[in-house]
Structure formats: structure tokens, C-alpha cells
Amino acid sequence: MRKNREQLYDELLVLRSLEGDRQALGELVSRWHPRFRRHAHCLVGNREAAEDVVQEAWLAIVKGLPRLDAAGAFAGWAYRIVANKCVDWVRRQKRDRRLSAALAETASPGQELAGNAPDRAELLRAALARLPADRRALLCMHYLEGFSMTQIADIVNVPEGTVKSRLYHARQELRRLMEREDHE
């Protein structure tokens, strides 16, 4: 695979960061932070939480950088760290919601909230939120981040054909969820 200038520059920044160059590390953070934040926002569905998750991910990335086998593997490796931190955040939120729901049920059983019919964007957000994190991540990487099938395959460490298949099934599931949300 032929590398473009951006990839080569990122590799140089990684190598310089490993040598202790703080300016290179700062440049690496500046270049990748917005991408990681968009990816985290797609996975967690909340801007503030995405920022927190990415900060947590950067701590793990900087700490783990010396264990990175190849500078060229930075993008995929770092995206996996961000995705794992998002999964951790989602698990904590589910646990907290279950606790809140249990408390609310004991405090006011039988009360329901009235709501307005959601618009199309809200239907999409709701359906995306209900997708499993791995499928939501694929959709976000492809459609929001603009990654090619080859790049996604490298990031998630599976064959390109597997990415195509998983992306197809993710789109199908998203469509079903949107139709279900639209009828509720």
C-alpha cells in the first residue's frame, strides 16, 4: 500500500513523539483530536461526553505509544483505543440508567412523559443510538469520517470483505430501526 504525505507526516510525528519531542506530540494531538472527537461523538451521542472520552483516550494513547509496534499503525491503533473508551462510557451510562430507572419506578410508578413526534434527524439519532457500538462505529467511520473500506479494515483488523458485509448489515439494521422508530 502506497502512503500519502499525510500518513508519512503522522508516522514522523509518532517517531519524534517516541523520542520525547513534546512539540511533535502536540502536533499529533492537534491533527487527530478533532477526528477522534467526531468518532467518539458518533459512538456516544453526546458532545460533552465525547470530549471526556477522547481526553481519557489520549491519556491511554500517550501512555501506550512506546508499545506501538509500527508508527504507520498509529491511526488504527488509536481509533481502537477511542472506540474501547466509548464502549466503557456506554456501559457506565447503561448501568447508571438502569439504576435511575429503578429509582424512578419506585418514586413514581405508572407516570409517562408526553413527547412530540421526532423529526427525521431525531429518528436517525435514535436509531443510531440503538445500534450495537461496533455497527455504529462502522457507519460513522465510513459515512462521517470518510474512511475507505481498506482503511476501516486496517483500523478494525479484519479483511475488507468482512467490513463490506458488516457495513451492509449495519445499514440494514439502521433502516429497520428507523422504520420502527417512525411507527412508534
Side-chain angles (χ1 to χ4, degrees), residues 93-159:
Q93 293 303 303
K94 284 182 180 179
R95 184 185 65 230
D96 292 349
R97 277 194 299 263
R98 282 193 304 267
L99 179 59
S100 295
L103 291 172
E105 185 64 29
T106 60
S108 57
Q111 291 183 350
E112 294 183 21
L113 297 175
N116 298 327
D119 63 359
R120 194 82 177 140
E122 189 56 41
L123 284 174
L124 178 59
R125 275 192 288 280
L128 270 171
R130 293 176 65 186
L131 276 177
D134 60 333
R135 291 189 176 181
R136 189 169 53 242
L138 283 176
L139 290 169
C140 290
M141 281 189 275
H142 186 66
Y143 291 106
L144 296 179
E145 295 296 324
F147 284 118
S148 69
M149 298 290 175
T150 304
Q151 290 169 316
I152 296 171
D154 182 49
I155 289 168
V156 297
N157 200 27
V158 297

Side-chain angles (χ1 to χ4, degrees), residues 3-183:
K3 295 180 182 181
N4 65 33
R5 285 184 188 171
E6 296 294 315
Q7 291 168 321
L8 291 172
Y9 186 59
D10 286 333
E11 286 184 38
L12 175 64
L13 290 174
V14 168
L15 292 171
R16 287 179 48 204
S17 296
L18 286 169
E19 293 173 350
D21 184 337
R22 289 182 174 270
Q23 189 174 355
L25 181 60
E27 177 70 14
L28 193 64
V29 171
S30 294
R31 290 172 56 83
W32 284 93
H33 189 83
R35 297 179 222 182
F36 294 159
R37 188 177 52 235
R38 279 192 307 271
H39 186 61
H41 181 250
C42 183
L43 294 176
V44 301
N46 177 302
R47 286 191 201 292
E48 293 80 24
E51 187 64 42
D52 291 343
V53 165
V54 172
Q55 291 296 330
E56 194 177 319
W58 273 114
L59 292 173
I61 290 167
V62 170
K63 184 178 179 182
L65 208 51
R67 293 187 305 274
L68 181 62
D69 292 333
F74 174 78
W77 173 77
Y79 264 96
R80 282 190 293 277
I81 290 173
V82 172
N84 288 337
K85 295 297 181 184
C86 289
V87 168
D88 293 344
W89 184 87
V90 168
R91 283 184 187 138
R92 286 191 305 268
Q93 293 303 303
K94 284 182 180 179
R95 184 185 65 230
D96 292 349
R97 277 194 299 263
R98 282 193 304 267
L99 179 59
S100 295
L103 291 172
E105 185 64 29
T106 60
S108 57
Q111 291 183 350
E112 294 183 21
L113 297 175
N116 298 327
D119 63 359
R120 194 82 177 140
E122 189 56 41
L123 284 174
L124 178 59
R125 275 192 288 280
L128 270 171
R130 293 176 65 186
L131 276 177
D134 60 333
R135 291 189 176 181
R136 189 169 53 242
L138 283 176
L139 290 169
C140 290
M141 281 189 275
H142 186 66
Y143 291 106
L144 296 179
E145 295 296 324
F147 284 118
S148 69
M149 298 290 175
T150 304
Q151 290 169 316
I152 296 171
D154 182 49
I155 289 168
V156 297
N157 200 27
V158 297
E160 189 174 337
T162 303
V163 171
K164 288 179 183 178
S165 173
R166 289 179 182 175
L167 195 53
Y168 170 80
H169 290 291
R171 284 190 301 259
Q172 296 301 318
E173 189 171 350
L174 181 63
R175 182 176 295 123
R176 281 191 301 275
L177 288 169
M178 285 188 68
E179 287 170 357
R180 191 177 312 146
E181 291 282 337
D182 196 28
H183 289 78

